[in-house]
Amino acid sequence: MIAVVGAGLTGAATAWQLARRGHPVTLIEAFDIGHRHGSSHGSSRIFRRAYADPFYVDLTGRAYEEWRELERDTATPLLRTTGGLDLGEGRDPEGLAAVLKSAGVPHELLGVREATARWPFVRFTGPVLYHPDAGVVDPDATVAACVRRAAGLGVRVITGTRVVDIDVTDAGDTARIRTDDGREITADTVVVAAGSWLPDLELPVVLPELRVTQQQVFHFRQRDPAAPWPVMVSKDATMQVFALPSGGDGGPLPAVKVAEHDRGTPTTADTRTGVVDPASRARITAFVRDRLPGLDPDPVAEATCLYTTTPDEDFVLDRRGPLVIASPCSGHGAKFAPLIGAMAADLATGRAEPHPRFRLKAETRP
């Protein structure tokens, strides 16, 4: 039996991938399915192919295919294509265009006048990269679809139960899970997809330094409800901002979600306040007033979520004995969810070796 700890995007996708391959699986979640305590809730995350690193550009192509397979298998629309913009000196649109050209990814490099003609609701100050394959994925719908389909394929789903300890048994070929309600579950393999709770599990492996931060997101109503907003990443010398259609999180009328990628408040999964940082609200509101004239600059909704960031912003996806550690984090993992589920399932079943970029750097904890 394979146990999966955590039913956020990574854990839910892993359970789905394992179930469709015919493996017996137990999925354990500390809260309810679709809870809002971690990083996987809400109705909108960016899917994009524009990375400066060709490795991630390739992964986005593979992830796109997995998203479409997940949609087919669950009969649920999850990825909506909108096109995407990258702008600002810090984003280096020209450099991104060169990477996408080498990878054969469709794109255009536009000047201010041409970009303004296409998207008059954005104020441009320099060159803009546009790639049509970008869009929005729905985390809430994704988690629900994966768990629903996995359960239909025989996965045992345990909710409202927190894992407090995971030990490798003396023989070294199985693992024992202990929960806060006194259960002990023995599994041949345990996939640990605990998100921001991962640093607190004290696993018998050495993890990289994981920095957990509380992030703030804000939703602004579109002045023109019919305007076709793309997703957007803007970076200059002082801040990096992302924007995307809000989905249901922005209320009943069309809205755009805008947030800082960085400047989160250090916290832990269990001590976060959930209180929006007013300084972040002020910075984002000022950005909207200056750069996004197509939005009403008074937010209609706001929320917090968690980032779990590694020093190099790569993911953690490795196996040590009967444990698979799956942490596609650093604020850019949501777009890869069904692919990471497939990669974690491969590790759990011995079908593949960990990718060198995602390996743990040490064998075991002293």
Side-chain angles (χ1 to χ4, degrees), residues 13 16-17 20 46-51 54-72 78-81 105 133 136-137 142 315 328 332-343 358:
W16 166 68
Q17 293 280 15
R20 65 203 298 257
I46 288 179
F47 177 87
R48 61 182 173 87
R49 300 210 61 193
Y51 275 85
F55 171 70
Y56 279 104
V57 176
D58 176 68
L59 282 188
T60 60
R62 294 167 57 190
Y64 178 87
E65 297 303 323
E66 291 290 344
W67 277 109
R68 295 313 187 196
E69 176 59 27
L70 175 58
E71 289 179 319
R72 286 190 291 268
L78 300 169
L79 167 58
R80 179 168 65 92
T81 301
V105 176
D133 294 340
V136 180
V137 296
T142 299
F315 305 151
H332 67 120
K335 68 178 69 65
F336 299 104
L339 174 63
I340 295 298
M343 296 171 74
F358 299 153

Side-chain angles (χ1 to χ4, degrees), residues 210-275:
L210 298 174
R211 183 171 181 264
V212 178
T213 55
Q214 178 176 282
Q215 308 292 134
Q216 286 71 220
V217 299
F218 306 92
H219 302 270
F220 299 86
R221 190 157 295 155
Q222 296 181 202
R223 295 187 188 275
D224 177 2
W229 278 76
V231 304
M232 184 179 75
V233 180
S234 172
K235 185 177 182 180
D236 59 22
T238 61
M239 64 192 303
Q240 179 168 323
V241 174
F242 61 87
L244 65 159
S246 295
D249 290 343
L253 298 177
V256 173
K257 172 181 170 181
V258 188
E260 296 175 288
H261 176 65
D262 41 21
R263 291 188 181 177
T265 304
T267 187
T268 71
D270 287 324
T271 62
R272 62 180 293 192
T273 65
V275 177

Side-chain angles (χ1 to χ4, degrees), residues 167-169 172-175 187-191 319-324:
D167 282 329
V168 176
T169 57
D173 56 352
T174 57
D188 300 300
T189 304
V190 177
V191 179
R319 178 165 185 156
R320 289 290 186 268
L323 303 183
V324 173

Side-chain angles (χ1 to χ4, degrees), residues 52-283:
D53 187 340
F55 171 70
Y56 279 104
V57 176
D58 176 68
L59 282 188
T60 60
R62 294 167 57 190
Y64 178 87
E65 297 303 323
E66 291 290 344
W67 277 109
R68 295 313 187 196
E69 176 59 27
L70 175 58
E71 289 179 319
R72 286 190 291 268
D73 191 51
T74 62
T76 306
L78 300 169
L79 167 58
R80 179 168 65 92
T81 301
T82 63
L85 306 178
D86 290 85
L87 55 147
E89 292 182 3
R91 281 301 285 171
D92 185 16
E94 297 95 337
L96 287 173
V99 175
L100 295 188
K101 181 179 180 180
S102 296
V105 176
H107 67 281
E108 297 177 76
L109 190 61
L110 307 172
V112 171
R113 182 175 299 178
E114 188 174 5
T116 300
R118 291 200 199 181
W119 303 283
F121 39 79
V122 178
R123 187 173 75 83
F124 300 100
T125 60
V128 180
L129 175 74
Y130 170 70
H131 68 294
D133 294 340
V136 180
V137 296
D138 186 328
D140 281 344
T142 299
V143 169
C146 285
V147 174
R148 182 175 62 250
R149 179 64 172 141
L153 292 170
V155 169
R156 179 190 181 198
V157 180
I158 301 173
T159 60
T161 302
R162 176 169 293 201
V163 170
V164 295
D165 187 52
I166 304 173
D167 282 329
V168 176
T169 57
D170 291 341
D173 56 352
T174 57
R176 184 181 299 110
I177 297 170
R178 295 181 178 87
T179 64
D180 61 355
D181 60 358
R183 297 189 223 198
E184 289 194 2
I185 301 170
T186 300
D188 300 300
T189 304
V190 177
V191 179
V192 184
S196 297
W197 286 266
L198 180 59
D200 301 323
L201 279 177
E202 298 186 357
L203 300 174
V205 297
V206 174
L207 298 171
E209 181 181 352
L210 298 174
R211 183 171 181 264
V212 178
T213 55
Q214 178 176 282
Q215 308 292 134
Q216 286 71 220
V217 299
F218 306 92
H219 302 270
F220 299 86
R221 190 157 295 155
Q222 296 181 202
R223 295 187 188 275
D224 177 2
W229 278 76
V231 304
M232 184 179 75
V233 180
S234 172
K235 185 177 182 180
D236 59 22
T238 61
M239 64 192 303
Q240 179 168 323
V241 174
F242 61 87
L244 65 159
S246 295
D249 290 343
L253 298 177
V256 173
K257 172 181 170 181
V258 188
E260 296 175 288
H261 176 65
D262 41 21
R263 291 188 181 177
T265 304
T267 187
T268 71
D270 287 324
T271 62
R272 62 180 293 192
T273 65
V275 177
V276 169
D277 178 8
S280 180
R281 185 191 299 114
R283 287 190 296 268

